[in-house]
């Protein structure tokens, strides 16, 4: 036992561990908070920081399954339209007399079905990329939402429905508690289960995975269905926070979500990345946006900063890989 412990310590490379992308994200996150605190005296108010999470955590639910999607080497750009359609159907059903609880359940079913359709189309038409298929469904889902409500808004939900977007449990925002629960579940699913290992294997080499007996089509369908389900969860929290819904809600969410996932260190080619990186990226971008908003910095500046961070997120792993390649050849 002692020999194994000694060998494990020898095998552990501290330099490699602390040079991981996630640690760099932590450093950037600390730097963002220091910068925000220096720009605004109101930033370090505990109540304000706590409340700030309500402004960006709704889209964070979609980040969790999008990590799985991108590790597979796929992408889903229909998530924002799925949010809109799920929200619109929920509001429309409630306005027609359906109980709010049942309307919320149907909202979750609608989102899951949208994701299921994406997954089935992707595995059925393998010659088409997931970008093309989800681009088509993005237009279709948003179009259906406009057909249902046109350009009108639906609201007047029961008072208790606002609890999801605005209330606290023992001083902690309810949305933050729910996100932490889902984040733990998805992290365990990806890193501690056979399903997660198969997702990584498919992202690295889907052909080898298929020949090794992995049901690649089934896993893809499940992952896309989970993405649709979490888009519906986002729809519930977003609708609760706004108090009403329109067909154009969540516009641009797909780009925000993909940016957070890539910034979190998830490889765009598939097969690499960790859930913790994406979670850190969610709070990094969210708190950066909140801090810049306090000092009335234009939203375009935030886009530029996030864009620069994305470039680093893509370039740094390639530089490390090229460095290793040069060492092997020399």
């Amino acid at each position: 036992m002692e020999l194994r412990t000694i060998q494990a310590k020898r095998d552990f490379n501290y330099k490699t561990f602390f040079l991981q992308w996630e640690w760099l994200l932590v450093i950037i996150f600390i730097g963002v908070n220091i910068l925000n605190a220096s720009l605004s005296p109101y930033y370090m108010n505990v109540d304000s920081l706590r409340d700030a999470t309500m402004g960006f955590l709704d889209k964070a639910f979609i980040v969790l399954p999008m990590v799985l999607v991108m590790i597979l080497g796929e992408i889903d750009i229909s998530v924002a339209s799925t949010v809109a359609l799920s929200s619109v159907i929920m509001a429309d059903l409630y306005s027609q007399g359906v109980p709010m609880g049942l309307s919320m359940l149907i909202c979750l079913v609608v989102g899951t079905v949208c994701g299921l359709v994406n997954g089935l189309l992707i595995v059925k038409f393998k010659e088409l990329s997931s970008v093309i298929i989800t681009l088509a469904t993005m237009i279709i889902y948003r179009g259906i939402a406009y057909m249902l409500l046109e350009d009108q808004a639906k609201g007047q939900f029961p008072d208790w429905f606002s609890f999801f977007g605005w209330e606290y449990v023992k001083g902690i925002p309810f949305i933050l508690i729910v996100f932490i629960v889902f984040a733990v579940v998805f992290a365990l699913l990806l890193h501690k289960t056979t399903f997660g290992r198969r997702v990584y294997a498919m992202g690295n080499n889907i052909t080898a995975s298929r020949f090794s007996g992995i049901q690649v089509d089934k896993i893809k369908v499940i992952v896309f269905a989970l993405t649709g389900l979490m888009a519906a969860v986002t729809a519930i929290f977003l609708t609760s926070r706004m108090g009403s819904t329109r067909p154009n809600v969540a516009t641009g969410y797909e780009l925000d979500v993909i940016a957070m996932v890539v910034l979190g260190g998830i490889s765009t080619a598939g097969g690499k990345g960790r859930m913790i990186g994406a979670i850190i990226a969610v709070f990094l971008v969210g708190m950066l946006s909140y801090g810049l908003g306090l000092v009335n910095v234009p939203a375009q500046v935030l886009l530029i900063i996030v864009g620069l961070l994305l470039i680093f997120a893509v370039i740094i792993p390639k530089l490390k890989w090229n460095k290793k390649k040069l060492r092997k050849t020399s």
Side-chain angles (χ1 to χ4, degrees):
M1 181 65 71
E2 291 181 0
L3 289 174
R4 289 181 182 177
T5 304
I6 294 171
Q7 184 63 37
K9 289 181 178 179
R10 287 177 179 174
D11 293 340
F12 184 80
N13 190 321
Y14 288 95
K15 184 177 179 181
T16 302
F17 178 75
F18 286 106
L19 286 179
Q20 294 178 89
W21 177 249
E22 290 81 5
W23 282 109
L24 182 56
L25 281 179
V26 170
I27 294 171
I28 295 173
F29 179 73
I30 294 171
V32 164
N33 282 279
I34 293 173
L35 174 64
N36 287 341
S38 64
L39 291 175
S40 173
Y42 303 103
Y43 180 78
M44 293 308 293
N45 183 287
V46 176
D47 292 336
S48 298
L49 288 174
R50 179 190 62 188
D51 296 343
T53 59
M54 295 181 179
F56 61 84
L57 277 184
D58 49 7
K59 69 185 71 172
F61 290 105
I62 314 175
V63 169
L64 303 175
M66 189 65 78
V67 170
L68 301 179
V69 171
M70 294 188 69
I71 288 177
L72 282 175
E74 306 287 352
I75 199 166
D76 186 350
I77 58 176
S78 70
V79 287
S81 296
T82 301
V83 172
L85 180 58
S86 302
S87 176
V88 163
I89 289 179
M90 176 178 65
D92 193 45
L93 288 173
Y94 178 71
S95 68
Q96 295 181 31
V98 178
M100 193 63 210
L102 181 57
S103 298
M104 292 169 61
L105 179 61
I106 295 173
C107 170
L108 296 175
V109 172
V110 169
T112 305
V113 170
C114 288
L116 187 63
V117 169
N118 287 341
L120 291 173
L121 289 174
I122 287 169
V123 301
K124 179 68 175 177
F125 301 99
K126 294 181 173 62
E127 66 277 11
L128 297 177
S129 70
S130 55
V131 176
I132 301 299
I133 290 176
T134 56
L135 173 63
T137 55
M138 176 184 76
I139 298 170
I140 292 169
Y141 298 157
R142 184 77 69 174
I144 296 172
Y146 271 102
M147 287 176 62
L148 291 173
L149 285 191
E150 295 180 350
D151 202 24
Q152 301 176 359
K154 281 284 179 75
Q156 297 182 341
F157 299 110
D159 293 338
W160 60 264
F161 183 61
S162 64
F163 177 87
F164 292 91
W166 293 106
E167 295 302 322
Y168 304 86
V169 176
K170 295 188 180 299
I172 303 173
F174 179 69
I175 188 173
L176 177 58
I177 295 173
V178 177
F179 175 74
I180 291 172
V181 171
F182 275 117
V184 171
V185 170
F186 272 89
L188 292 175
L189 177 66
L190 179 61
H191 298 295
K192 298 297 181 181
T193 67
T194 302
F195 182 87
R197 288 191 290 273
R198 288 174 178 172
V199 168
Y200 276 111
M202 289 170 59
N204 282 303
N205 193 323
I206 192 166
T207 303
S209 299
R210 184 178 285 109
F211 281 111
S212 66
I214 296 176
Q215 296 177 306
V216 295
D217 289 350
K218 181 179 179 181
I219 290 177
K220 280 189 179 182
V221 171
I222 292 173
V223 168
F224 276 91
L226 284 173
T227 307
L229 172 62
M230 297 309 291
V233 172
T234 290
I236 291 175
F237 281 98
L238 179 62
T239 308
S240 172
R241 190 160 57 87
M242 296 191 307
S244 64
T245 190
R246 302 176 71 96
N248 63 349
V249 295
T251 300
Y253 268 31
E254 65 277 359
L255 298 179
D256 293 340
V257 168
I258 293 170
M260 290 174 183
V261 174
V262 175
L263 182 59
I266 309 302
S267 172
T268 53
K272 296 179 182 178
R274 298 182 183 89
M275 187 66 70
I276 185 63
I279 294 171
I280 296 171
V282 166
F283 286 92
L284 193 160
V285 175
M287 299 314 293
L288 178 62
S289 176
Y290 171 68
L292 294 179
L294 287 177
V295 291
N296 297 319
V297 173
Q300 290 80 1
V301 175
L302 174 64
L303 294 176
I304 293 172
I305 295 173
V306 173
L308 291 173
L309 290 174
L310 286 176
I311 292 174
F312 282 116
V314 173
I315 289 177
I316 287 178
K318 289 187 177 181
L319 291 176
K320 290 170 67 177
W321 185 84
N322 289 334
K323 189 176 180 181
K324 289 180 180 178
K325 189 176 179 180
L326 287 172
R327 285 179 179 176
K328 288 181 180 179
T329 55
S330 60

